[in-house]
Amino acid sequence: QVSQHFGVDNFYIAIYDRRDEKIWYPLAVKRGIRQDWEPRALADRLTDRVILERQPILIRTDASQELVRIGLPAGEGAPAAWMGVPLLSSDEAIGCLAVFTDSPQRSFLPGDLELFVTLSGQVGVAIANTLLHEQLQRRVSQLEALNQFTTSITESLDEQHVLSQVCQYVTQVGSGQRSAIYILDLETSKVELAHACGLSA
């Protein structure tokens, strides 16, 4: 719909992960081809400014000069025109919906921005609902894992088995690759490695 409305084949949805302070791209299309852009840290860029300031940005033409004027690095391969609007959930910006063009003959108008803002409202609600559903599903999985973990350690009197279960559980819940448990000996004031999961010898 975005492509048809604005006659462009470059657009993307950027989502801001507040926990990790990273931006990721569930959908990105450039010159009509689906892209696989890696998540990245927050930076001084158009997308980030739209999200952090919760305000749309319209660059009608000559984006390179306009970026410099508003205090952003132009970089290489700057588009000819760019338009981005925040995706809002309640009073929080969860991401940015953006379109751009490389053609100097194509520009975006204030009327385009008004339509884009309207579109972003519907998109923002849909994405917020999807993210909420994913969070609930993840929470349910965590609670199921916690229940199994609790049952496992309460039924065991084997210290090493319990330590092993704890290491595996925290690795799973924390989405990590390795974990370790250290025990403090109060008499000697030393810390000893009691159990590890995924560490080398």
Side-chain angles (χ1 to χ4, degrees), residues 10 26-27 30 42 64 68 159 189:
N10 304 293
L27 176 64
K30 189 171 184 179
L42 278 174
S64 295
V68 174
E159 179 184 351
S189 296

Side-chain angles (χ1 to χ4, degrees), residues 24-54:
W24 58 284
Y25 302 89
L27 176 64
V29 174
K30 189 171 184 179
R31 297 187 183 94
I33 301 173
R34 182 73 178 260
Q35 305 292 306
D36 186 18
W37 294 346
E38 292 291 324
R40 63 173 178 81
L42 278 174
D44 196 15
R45 294 165 65 167
L46 282 170
T47 300
D48 310 52
R49 185 169 287 191
V50 167
I51 294 172
L52 295 176
E53 296 183 357
R54 295 185 300 172

Side-chain angles (χ1 to χ4, degrees), residues 165-180 197-198:
Q165 291 296 308
V166 172
C167 274
Q168 291 179 28
Y169 176 73
V170 297
T171 302
Q172 177 185 348
V173 173
S175 301
Q177 297 176 327
R178 292 175 280 277
S179 62
C197 179

Side-chain angles (χ1 to χ4, degrees), residues 17 20 41 43-45 60 85 87 98 102 137 143 145 153 158 168 175-176 178 182 193 197 200:
D17 185 339
D20 294 334
D44 196 15
R45 294 165 65 167
R60 299 177 59 173
V85 291
L87 298 172
D102 296 321
Q137 291 294 101
L143 289 174
I153 64 171
D158 183 343
Q168 291 179 28
S175 301
R178 292 175 280 277
Y182 294 88
L193 176 62
C197 179
S200 66

Side-chain angles (χ1 to χ4, degrees), residues 131-143:
L131 293 174
L132 179 60
H133 177 71
E134 290 178 353
Q135 290 171 0
L136 290 174
Q137 291 294 101
R138 188 164 55 247
R139 182 62 176 159
V140 167
S141 297
Q142 289 175 342
L143 289 174

